Amino acid sequence: MFLFLCSYSLVSTFHFLFVPVPCAMCQVNPVMRLLKSIVACVRVQLEAILLDGILGYIMRRFLRSAMIVFSWFVVPYSRYTNIKVIRRKLPPIRSHLLEIPAVDLAKLIRNKKIKSEEVVEAYIERCRQVNPLINAIVQDRFEEALEEAREIDNVIAMGINSVESMEEHTPLLGIPVTVKESIAVKGLTNQAGRVFKTPQIAKSDAPVVEQIKRCGGIILLVSNTPELCLLWETYNNVTGQTKNPYDLKRTPGGSSGGEAALLASGASLLGLTSDIGGSSRLPAMFSGIWGHKPTPYAVSFRGHHPTSDFPKWGDFFTIAPMTRYAKDLPLLLKCMSDPTGPKLTLDKEISANGIRFFFMDNDGPSGMMRPLSRDLHAAINRVASDFNAKRVNIRKMKWSLDISLSAMLTMKNIETIYHKTEEGEQPKTVCKETVKYFFGCSDSILPSVIFGHLQNFMKIIPNSRHKHLASIIEALKTEFKELLGTDGVFLYPTFPNTAHQHYQIYHKLLEPMYMAIFNTLGLPVTNCMIGLDRRNLPMGIQVVANPGQDHLCLAVAREMERRYGGWVRPPSEDSHSHAQSSGKRG
């Protein structure tokens, strides 16, 4: 209130000093009329700026305070539920086949050095070892995968196609691939964690899955996701809670947490995920692997739940690659790329020495986001120093929350629990479902229930406000375009802390805006693994480029893997003999 009164006094003073009192001279003198109009216009603009700044400040402090209050309830609940989680370690990785990058593995299979069946068997065995602990698999197709592997081995043995032809047309030949359950795989469940009386089985493959199969990939399974991908942790009322391989009491993130947990534990090599607000990048960071959000429309978004018929849905949402090794990202993305979408120059050889680097280690600052943990702050600044990155201050980044929520929550016809229902079921209503949830009678998780309230809230915000925020989006796009050009990347935090305990995202709901801003701006971005913190948990950083410059992100990812070691084996039952031998601590 004090700030408001001070600001109002300032505006009033401005009005008194610079706005002349109407007089006869103003009526007859054109110059005076012009000056009066200019001053009036400036006054209106200043009032708008001050009011916008005051309201923005108040809203930011309110949201930050709300998160603090939430923590009073969330943290004790999280610790209570974690009492039930047994602190165990994963079985050790025994098969050397599980630690060969896909690029090299495919080459070995094409050249008859190893058989696809051996590789698929090794991954199936690993899935069976770790899934009772991490709970990442929704449904598998292990027997069908083994049969497909044998057929591939027979075709290779007969020498029907040359090695060169197989490399060009089927670069994933014989390689196992896992898929987020929200992406349609024919014959497997495809309900994105929603509770249905009758299982929802995909009748056809999503276009991106068809492309993976055409490239020779073998689909092993579909993995867990929060209900309708609406949370940055991974749990639902169908499959349950997925756990982080580095510490079972912690989350692998979401919404692609099932894929991330499998990849990090050595039970998958290549994964198909999705990303609308960091859903691929946060799990990649929390699990110590690599997740890339491609340029909009470079990968088809069809065949996914949730979806929308909103014309600009693809500006924000994309299906995305996730890998255990950075060197595999270009291969997987190339196989996923939509033939009708923007052409990416993924085969373009580029050295990190020819790339310009810029960085920020805060969000403006906005006053809403919590500061980076000490280890993450040190690691990000070390990376910036190693790559000679220039510190910049893009002040409009402080609007990340405002513009992202405005852009995403105003999209129409997004699939929610209030839209698609089973045949014969009555549509759910926001108020009724909210009451059911708080009485423990709802089949849905909290984010799915409150999403309807958020959409209704956005409707009461004046269009003038949305237009103002849209102008900030365009200004930010222009700023990045001019800053990065075709040879620059921007280094930025993925999240302010490493993997937290289950459910603690509920008092950190503002921090995902570190990632969501790049969906809003339509920029390609990669989460890169940069080491372990003092708790031996993975740390990550985002590498951002201009649209169509995905190859810059991937080149930097490969260089970071070379410098910092990349994926590190999670602690295992005999980790004393393998203690993170392949990684470097941040």
Side-chain angles (χ1 to χ4, degrees), residues 84-289:
K84 305 173 185 177
V85 180
I86 301 174
R87 194 182 289 278
R88 292 180 57 188
K89 296 179 180 179
L90 302 185
I93 296 175
R94 302 291 188 191
S95 173
H96 73 284
L97 296 176
L98 299 177
E99 297 185 274
I100 302 175
V103 171
D104 303 323
L105 202 55
K107 186 176 181 180
L108 291 170
I109 292 173
R110 288 193 297 267
N111 286 281
K112 305 177 186 178
K113 302 294 184 182
I114 57 175
K115 291 186 176 182
S116 174
E117 184 179 5
E118 297 175 68
V119 175
V120 172
E121 281 181 339
Y123 274 97
I124 290 173
E125 177 60 26
R126 184 63 179 167
C127 285
R128 287 172 171 159
Q129 288 176 348
V130 303
N131 196 58
L133 296 175
I134 62 174
N135 190 39
I137 299 173
V138 178
Q139 187 178 5
D140 67 67
R141 57 184 304 275
F142 291 158
E143 293 306 316
E144 295 90 335
L146 282 170
E147 185 58 37
E148 290 169 12
R150 295 184 193 107
E151 291 175 4
I152 288 172
D153 289 334
N154 290 336
V155 170
I156 293 174
M158 289 187 288
I160 296 175
N161 300 310
S162 67
V163 171
E164 294 75 17
S165 176
M166 287 186 285
E167 183 177 7
E168 180 181 356
H169 299 292
T170 53
L172 292 179
L173 192 63
I175 301 296
V177 180
T178 54
V179 182
K180 186 177 181 178
E181 194 261 354
S182 55
I183 303 170
V185 176
K186 185 177 180 179
L188 298 185
T189 175
N190 180 220
Q191 53 198 59
R194 285 192 64 183
V195 175
F196 287 103
K197 294 177 181 177
T198 304
Q200 306 293 295
I201 306 299
K203 297 179 181 178
S204 60
D205 290 323
V208 68
V209 174
E210 290 179 354
Q211 288 172 228
I212 292 297
K213 289 182 176 180
R214 281 198 296 269
C215 288
I218 299 174
I219 307 299
L220 277 188
L221 55 86
V222 288
S223 60
N224 204 23
T225 176
E227 185 177 30
L228 291 175
C229 307
L230 286 176
L231 187 61
W232 292 280
E233 291 195 16
T234 299
Y235 72 93
N236 57 57
N237 291 328
V238 180
T239 306
Q241 185 180 76
T242 298
K243 300 174 179 64
N244 193 311
Y246 290 87
D247 183 347
L248 300 183
K249 291 182 178 290
R250 298 177 184 270
T251 178
S255 63
S256 304
E259 281 301 304
L262 289 167
L263 286 157
S265 60
S268 178
L269 186 58
L270 305 175
L272 303 188
T273 68
S274 59
D275 194 307
I276 193 172
S279 299
S280 177
R281 286 161 283 153
L282 184 64
M285 175 191 168
F286 279 8
S287 304
I289 52 176

Side-chain angles (χ1 to χ4, degrees), residues 20 112 151 156 169 185 245 250 262 289 291 307 322 331 361 394 437 442 495 501 575:
K112 305 177 186 178
E151 291 175 4
I156 293 174
H169 299 292
V185 176
R250 298 177 184 270
L262 289 167
I289 52 176
T307 189
M322 186 184 283
L331 171 65
D361 56 12
I394 304 174
Y437 178 83
S442 175
F495 201 78
Q501 294 190 342
S575 58

Side-chain angles (χ1 to χ4, degrees), residues 374-380 382-383 386 529-540 564-565 568 583-586:
R374 185 169 60 179
D375 288 346
L376 264 173
H377 185 271
I380 288 174
R382 180 200 69 202
V383 171
D386 290 347
M529 160 67 162
I530 55 173
L532 302 176
D533 70 1
R534 67 190 63 209
R535 295 177 177 173
N536 288 323
L537 296 172
M539 298 184 291
Y564 307 125
V568 177
K584 299 179 183 179
R585 181 166 302 189

Side-chain angles (χ1 to χ4, degrees), residues 480 484 488-492 518 523-526 542-546 553:
F480 272 104
L484 302 181
V489 298
F490 177 62
L491 307 179
Y492 196 60
F518 300 115
L523 302 180
V525 51
T526 306
Q542 293 184 99
V543 179
V544 187
N546 270 327
C553 300

Side-chain angles (χ1 to χ4, degrees), residues 382-417:
R382 180 200 69 202
V383 171
S385 176
D386 290 347
F387 285 90
N388 296 314
K390 178 182 177 182
R391 182 185 289 273
V392 293
N393 186 8
I394 304 174
R395 294 187 178 276
K396 289 185 178 65
M397 293 294 281
K398 69 181 182 180
W399 293 97
S400 295
L401 177 70
D402 307 67
I403 63 179
S404 296
L405 290 182
S406 173
M408 295 183 188
L409 290 177
T410 54
M411 289 188 289
K412 296 179 175 61
N413 300 325
I414 297 177
E415 180 184 344
T416 69
I417 61 171

